[in-house]
Amino acid sequence: MLEMQKRLSKSFFALMTLPATAMGFALSIQIAALSAILRSKYDLNIEEIGLVWAAGPIAGILGQPIIGMISDKVWFWGGRRRPFILIGGVLTALSLVALPNIGLISSALGLTEIVGVALAVALLMDLSINVSFNPTRAIISDLTPEGELRTRGYTWMQTVSGTFGMLAYAIGATLGNETLIYLGTGLVLLFTLIPAILMEEPRELGSQEENDKSGGFDLRLIAIGTLPLWGIFAYDIYALAARALDIERTDYLAEWLCAAATAVLIAWVLFLKKPSAKAGKNDLTEFQKIMAAHSFSWLGVQTMFVFYYPYLEHVLPDGDSALWGSVTNFSFLILNGVAAVLPAFVLNPLSRKMPRVRLQAGCLAVMSVGYGMAYFAGTSPLALYLIMAVLGVGWAAIVSLPFAIMSQRINATRMGLFMGIFNLSVVLPQLLASMGVGLMLQRVEDKSLLFAIAAASLALSALLWLRVKPLPASDQNNAD
């Protein structure tokens, strides 16, 4: 074991976060380049772009709980997370190379329908990222004790990852997206292979009793844990089926039914379900509340990520693809710049003085206000850049605090599986944004509706986080 790992030094915290940084960098490339390439190079419309973006959530739904559960139980190549980080890093690098070559791949295969090829490439990329995504985060929990050190691990993760995410957008804005993609390919390989080899994982997690009680892939656990999201899941299946069968959707009946079902399920979890005092970390009531709260954060954020480029076409009609791409990259550069600085230097110190769930809610409330500002005043690049700085407050919290909050509510021996389940609170609303919000934005003339939807989603998320019960103040240094 490296001496810096024994001491849990700052150098080790930085090393430990690099695999997650690699996956975050790959996702930043996707955010920066995918919509721009599909729109400017292949002239896909908003609904088609949403369909291609749906590949990521589909991959997450299928891959992350399974990969997470497997990584809890296996041990080979000297680790339980290491094999998936290594394999996922190589596959992600290969899929990144395919992204700017969608047209070449289509021609080589003799295909004329570019949407299908783009969907296949995006699905390959996201499946590759999903092999490593949960293990890169779960290993931070594996290698740190509960409490302040684990929170520090996740805030370091976001600081390092956010800094490199900011670098990704800077490269895209100044050197172009293709340069970004090829540089990113090398970085992903470097940041996954070397740290995974250097870090030493513990053979056992948690107490022997917890290890004895931990099971394998548990569909019942997944179903109960995701209860507040059943309505969203049902809508996602319907929307994908309607698209696959080419069924024309002329009204919003399915969307209203999804909203009603989701409201009933969340209300039951928040107000009617009674937690078991004896169950401890086996009681999923608070975990379900976290799932509900986190899902609405991602509904709002993903709506911006997917449809920001088409919004710029609407609000800057005299621009061209170069301008819209540059504004996109500089906007997300600022967003990630704020998110890189705040976790380690602001959120982590504040989390020692107040409950983390309250801190999360406050940051999301600020983000909701920012989206409201974008709806009313986001009509110029300068205004959008200033607004992105405000949005960065919420984004910093979304990508750092929930991991620490969630990880201290569950059985450590099933961290991979719970990370996979937790990720469903990300991918299910992402799919809703791609299929449902995309349909709405395709039909309306005023594309600023995306910011109204995002503002409402973040406001609701903030309120839901306030319903998550903080742990006692005496445990503040050891939990949330």
Side-chain angles (χ1 to χ4, degrees):
M1 181 182 290
L2 296 174
E3 183 62 30
M4 64 177 176
Q5 181 172 348
K6 294 178 183 178
R7 294 186 289 106
L8 290 179
S9 67
K10 292 181 179 180
S11 298
F12 179 70
F13 274 103
L15 178 71
M16 184 170 55
T17 64
L18 291 183
T21 297
M23 295 303 106
F25 197 86
L27 289 173
S28 294
I29 293 173
Q30 188 180 47
I31 292 168
L34 184 58
S35 291
I37 289 173
L38 296 178
R39 186 66 175 158
S40 63
K41 196 170 182 179
Y42 302 111
D43 199 30
L44 270 62
N45 64 38
I46 289 179
E47 195 171 3
E48 290 170 331
I49 291 173
L51 177 63
V52 173
W53 271 93
I58 293 171
I61 292 169
L62 297 175
Q64 293 211 23
I66 296 173
I67 294 296
M69 179 274 298
I70 293 174
S71 73
D72 284 336
K73 298 299 176 183
V74 302
W75 184 273
F76 64 100
W77 294 355
R80 62 172 50 82
R81 317 296 182 192
R82 177 185 290 168
F84 300 95
I85 295 173
L86 295 174
I87 295 169
V90 172
L91 292 177
T92 299
L94 292 173
S95 62
L96 281 172
V97 175
L99 186 59
N101 296 299
I102 292 172
L104 183 62
I105 295 171
S106 180
S107 299
L109 295 174
L111 301 174
T112 58
E113 183 56 60
I114 199 71
V115 176
V117 178
L119 183 59
V121 170
L123 184 60
L124 173 64
M125 177 186 295
D126 284 293
L127 284 171
S128 301
I129 292 173
N130 275 282
V131 170
S132 288
F133 203 80
N134 274 339
T136 63
R137 284 157 172 74
I139 198 171
I140 295 174
S141 179
D142 294 348
L143 301 181
T144 56
E146 280 193 9
E148 194 274 332
L149 284 174
R150 183 172 297 171
T151 301
R152 185 189 302 175
Y154 284 113
T155 52
W156 267 85
M157 177 194 76
Q158 179 48 30
T159 298
V160 177
S161 180
T163 300
F164 277 91
M166 184 172 58
L167 176 63
Y169 297 116
I171 294 171
T174 56
L175 301 179
N177 285 329
E178 290 205 16
T179 301
L180 167 63
I181 289 169
Y182 291 117
L183 288 175
T185 300
L187 184 143
V188 166
L189 286 173
L190 184 67
F191 280 14
T192 52
L193 302 186
I194 293 178
I197 293 171
L198 292 178
M199 292 185 293
E200 183 176 328
E201 299 181 54
R203 189 66 187 258
E204 300 293 336
L205 297 174
S207 66
Q208 185 60 45
E209 181 181 359
E210 286 178 322
N211 278 284
D212 292 340
K213 289 182 178 180
S214 64
F217 190 70
D218 192 338
L219 286 174
R220 180 176 177 274
L221 178 64
I222 295 174
I224 295 174
T226 58
L227 175 65
L229 310 183
W230 284 4
I232 296 176
F233 184 48
Y235 174 81
D236 291 343
I237 294 174
Y238 157 77
L240 287 170
R243 177 71 190 193
L245 299 174
D246 200 23
I247 298 174
E248 184 179 359
R249 293 185 282 168
T250 58
D251 55 36
Y252 294 110
L253 177 61
E255 286 74 15
W256 282 113
L257 289 175
C258 164
T262 302
V264 170
L265 291 169
I266 290 178
W268 185 78
V269 169
L270 293 183
F271 302 108
L272 299 178
K273 186 179 179 184
K274 302 297 182 184
S276 171
K278 298 180 180 180
K281 289 187 176 181
N282 292 318
D283 181 75
L284 297 180
T285 302
E286 294 304 311
F287 180 78
Q288 290 170 331
K289 293 179 182 179
I290 293 170
M291 291 283 287
H294 197 51
S295 67
F296 282 96
S297 298
W298 272 99
L299 176 60
V301 170
Q302 187 72 1
T303 295
M304 175 185 67
F305 284 153
V306 177
F307 303 112
Y308 189 66
Y309 187 92
Y311 168 76
L312 293 177
E313 290 182 316
H314 165 75
V315 78
L316 302 173
D318 297 328
D320 56 16
S321 60
L323 173 65
W324 301 321
S326 177
V327 173
T328 297
N329 281 310
F330 276 119
S331 294
F332 295 150
L333 167 64
I334 295 168
L335 180 78
N336 281 272
V338 175
V341 172
L342 288 188
F345 300 106
V346 178
L347 299 186
N348 193 33
L350 284 176
S351 71
R352 292 194 289 266
K353 299 178 180 180
M354 63 184 296
R356 293 184 181 95
V357 293
R358 302 292 186 260
L359 179 58
Q360 177 77 5
C363 291
L364 298 183
V366 172
M367 195 175 199
S368 177
V369 171
Y371 278 128
M373 294 165 59
Y375 177 75
F376 289 107
T379 56
S380 70
L382 178 59
L384 289 168
Y385 297 155
L386 294 174
I387 290 168
M388 284 294 162
V390 177
L391 298 180
V393 175
W395 182 232
I398 289 171
V399 294
S400 59
L401 292 176
F403 295 106
I405 295 171
M406 182 277 297
S407 68
Q408 293 168 339
R409 310 267 178 164
I410 59 175
N411 184 338
T413 64
R414 310 188 80 177
M415 183 63 68
L417 176 59
F418 271 105
M419 280 284 187
I421 298 172
F422 182 62
N423 189 63
L424 294 177
S425 68
V426 177
V427 298
L428 291 176
Q430 282 181 334
L431 196 53
L432 175 61
S434 293
M435 306 302 292
V437 177
L439 176 67
M440 296 174 64
L441 291 176
Q442 180 69 19
R443 291 177 176 177
V444 300
E445 182 68 26
D446 184 5
K447 307 305 179 188
S448 63
L449 175 64
L450 81 88
F451 290 123
I453 294 171
S457 296
L458 269 295
L460 181 56
S461 180
L463 292 174
L464 291 174
W465 274 107
L466 291 175
R467 295 294 302 179
V468 177
K469 183 180 179 181
L471 293 182
S474 59
D475 296 335
Q476 179 65 31
N477 291 329
N478 297 315
D480 343 75

